[in-house]
């Protein structure tokens, strides 16, 4: 399930460093429920986008360098599950992931 493309600037508190991440996000759900979730994803598209951007902006210096982005994935899964009122979101995957330090 496509969640969109994201480009996020992240300021690290107490540091002059700023990070920028770009990625395409998708949610993984069982085929049996994926079709039921598609209309909800469209209905909440703006809220989902805002949630993912806000979550990504709270990444810490330790979390941002995690090659698996486990913290970001778990936060998105939890927030998305609450928003859609479902337990069927199994995972979130990122593609075209780009990370740079400025």
């Amino acid at each position: 399930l496509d969640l969109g493309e994201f480009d996020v600037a992240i300021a690290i508190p107490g540091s002059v460093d700023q990070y920028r991440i770009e990625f395409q996000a998708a949610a993984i759900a069982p085929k049996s429920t994926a079709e039921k979730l598609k209309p909800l994803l469209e209905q909440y598209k703006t809220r989902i986008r805002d949630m993912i951007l806000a979550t990504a902006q709270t990444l810490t210096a330790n979390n941002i360098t995690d090659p698996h982005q486990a913290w970001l994935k778990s936060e998105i899964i939890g927030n998305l599950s609450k928003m859609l009122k479902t337990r069927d979101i199994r995972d979130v995957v990122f593609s075209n992931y780009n990370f740079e330090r400025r």
Side-chain angles (χ1 to χ4, degrees):
L1 300 167
D2 183 31
L3 298 176
E5 292 183 34
F6 300 89
D7 185 349
V8 185
I10 303 162
I12 303 298
S15 173
V16 294
D17 293 335
Q18 186 176 30
Y19 296 92
R20 184 170 160 263
I21 57 173
E22 297 176 311
F23 58 91
Q24 173 80 32
I28 306 297
K31 284 185 180 183
S32 60
T33 57
E35 290 302 316
K36 290 186 259 181
L37 292 175
K38 282 182 183 180
L40 288 174
L41 288 174
E42 187 59 36
Q43 179 182 351
Y44 292 109
K45 184 177 183 175
T46 304
R47 287 182 61 195
I48 291 169
R49 180 167 188 73
D50 291 347
M51 176 271 294
I52 292 173
L53 289 171
T55 302
Q57 288 173 337
T58 64
L59 283 165
T60 65
N62 291 336
N63 291 336
I64 205 166
T65 57
D66 174 9
H68 304 289
Q69 291 300 318
W71 182 85
L72 183 57
K73 287 180 179 185
S74 68
E75 290 294 310
I76 292 171
I77 291 168
N79 290 330
L80 193 57
S81 294
K82 287 178 193 171
M83 194 177 293
L84 302 178
K85 295 181 176 99
T86 183
R87 293 179 187 239
D88 292 323
I89 305 298
R90 301 289 188 241
D91 199 2
V92 171
V93 294
F94 302 128
S95 62
N96 303 325
Y97 191 88
N98 185 27
F99 164 79
E100 66 181 51
R101 183 177 175 181
R102 292 183 174 186

